[in-house]
């Protein structure tokens, strides 16, 4: 299947995060062309700083396969992974990580740092970015614009009272 199919599924997961008031990031784990796990951002709702979309999906994939190592698996995520998620991906022995939008503030797949190219590390995961980057970036921008608008409206309402 083409990467866009899996990224579209990751975008659907990101919408679940948005619907729950979380930053809209979604992830999908694929093995042999079949989706074996999905995840979306849930750190606020779960009171868990590690509940990023990628970690949620990795945990579900490990459970599905009965192994914390996921060789031969690919992870598709709507936003470039952070350092925490990138480390987890390498420990899981993923074959490949594909992301949509770059993250110029915390991206660990090349935007700020690239953990995946560190020669000293014992496992190397292939990384590719920019798949459906416009759609993924638009969702994030729209989410934060709506959040800022809601905060401004609440501030106005508070001042009027």
């Amino acid at each position: 299947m083409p990467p866009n199919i899996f990224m579209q599924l990751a975008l659907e997961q990101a919408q679940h995060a948005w619907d729950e008031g979380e930053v809209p990031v979604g992830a999908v784990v694929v093995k042999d062309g079949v989706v074996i796990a999905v995840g979306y951002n849930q750190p606020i709702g779960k009171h868990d700083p590690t509940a990023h979309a990628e970690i949620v999906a990795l945990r579900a994939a490990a459970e599905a396969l009965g192994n914390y190592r996921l060789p031969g698996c690919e992870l598709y995520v709507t936003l470039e992974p952070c350092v925490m998620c990138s480390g987890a991906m390498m420990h899981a022995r993923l074959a490949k990580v594909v992301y949509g939008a770059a993250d110029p503030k915390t991206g660990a797949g090349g935007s700020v740092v690239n953990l995946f190219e560190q020669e000293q590390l014992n496992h190397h995961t292939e990384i590719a970015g920019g798949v459906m980057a416009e759609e993924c970036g638009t969702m994030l921008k729209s989410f934060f614009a709506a959040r800022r608008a809601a905060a401004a409206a609440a501030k106005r309402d508070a001042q009027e009272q």
Side-chain angles (χ1 to χ4, degrees), residues 29-106:
V29 178
V30 176
K31 183 165 178 66
D32 300 324
V34 176
V35 174
I36 62 167
V38 298
Y40 60 89
N41 262 6
Q42 301 174 59
I44 297 167
K46 289 193 174 206
H47 310 292
D48 179 357
T50 69
H52 288 193
E54 301 97 309
I55 301 296
V56 173
L58 287 172
R59 287 176 178 156
E63 191 67 31
L65 296 180
N67 190 347
Y68 75 97
R69 289 194 173 162
L70 305 171
C73 291
E74 299 177 350
L75 185 142
Y76 293 79
V77 61
T78 57
L79 181 65
E80 180 182 356
C82 69
V83 170
M84 174 185 71
C85 292
S86 297
M89 291 169 190
M90 288 187 287
H91 282 291
R93 308 294 198 259
L94 290 177
K96 185 175 185 177
V97 173
V98 179
Y99 68 86
D103 186 345
K105 294 184 178 179
T106 64

Side-chain angles (χ1 to χ4, degrees), residues 17-18 20-24 44 140-154:
W18 184 329
E20 294 181 15
E22 304 271 4
V23 175
I44 297 167
L140 286 157
K141 288 174 189 164
S142 298
F143 173 81
F144 286 113
R147 220 182 204 184
R148 284 190 299 275

